Amino acid sequence: MKALIVDDSKAIRSIIGKHLRALGFDVVEAVSGIEALVQLKKMGGADIALLDWNMPEMDGFEFLRRVREDAEFSDLLVMMVTTESEMSQVAKALEAGANEYLMKTFTKEALFEKLVLLGLDPGEAAA
C-alpha cells in the first residue's frame, strides 16, 4: 500500500512515516499541498493521504478540495492529521471529503485505529 504524508513539520512526517513503514506502507512525503499534488501524480496515486491543515503555499484544506475535484484520485482516502480541533473545522474537512480526522498530538494506537476505520487494517498491511 502507498501512503502520502503531507505536513510542513519534518518531525511529524518522520513520526507518521515510521509508523506506516513499520506496517509495510510505501511512504512518500510532501511539505505543502502543491508538492503533494506533484507527488500524487508522480506516484500514480496512493491508498491514503495523511494531511496537515496548516502549511505554506497550499494548505491541507485546499489540497483536499483539489483532490476531490479530480476524478483520477476519487478513491484516495484522506485523513486530516492536524492541530485544528474546533468542531467547525472538523465538519468543514469532512464535508469537503476527508474520510477521517486525527488531532495532533496522537498516539500510534490512535493512528492505527483510524487506519482500521478506513479499511486499511494495520495487521494485514504488516503481514
Side-chain angles (χ1 to χ4, degrees), residues 91-116:
K92 182 178 176 181
L94 295 174
E95 287 169 11
N99 301 95
E100 265 302 336
Y101 204 99
L102 181 62
M103 292 178 203
K104 295 176 186 173
T105 61
F106 55 87
T107 63
K108 176 172 81 170
E109 291 75 21
L111 176 62
F112 290 176
E113 286 174 16
K114 294 292 186 175
L115 292 172
V116 170

Side-chain angles (χ1 to χ4, degrees), residues 8-106:
D8 58 328
S9 166
K10 185 175 183 175
I12 294 295
R13 290 192 318 271
S14 177
I15 291 166
I16 295 172
K18 176 183 168 190
H19 294 321
L20 293 178
R21 285 183 188 94
L23 295 172
F25 281 86
D26 291 326
V27 175
V28 174
E29 299 179 7
V31 299
S32 73
I34 290 173
E35 183 182 345
L37 289 173
V38 170
Q39 291 291 357
L40 197 56
K41 295 259 186 206
K42 210 185 279 188
M43 298 168 69
D47 296 292
I48 187 168
L50 297 99
L51 182 61
D52 186 23
W53 193 302
N54 299 302
M55 296 178 290
E57 297 178 359
M58 178 191 294
D59 67 21
F61 184 77
E62 180 63 19
F63 171 84
L64 173 63
R65 201 179 63 68
R66 290 202 188 176
V67 163
R68 289 301 180 231
E69 290 173 353
D70 189 334
E72 181 180 357
F73 304 117
S74 61
D75 292 339
L76 178 67
L77 295 172
V78 177
M79 182 189 312
M80 299 298 294
V81 183
T82 181
T83 57
E84 291 292 336
S85 59
E86 289 192 28
M87 287 312 296
S88 62
Q89 295 293 78
V90 175
K92 182 178 176 181
L94 295 174
E95 287 169 11
N99 301 95
E100 265 302 336
Y101 204 99
L102 181 62
M103 292 178 203
K104 295 176 186 173
T105 61
F106 55 87

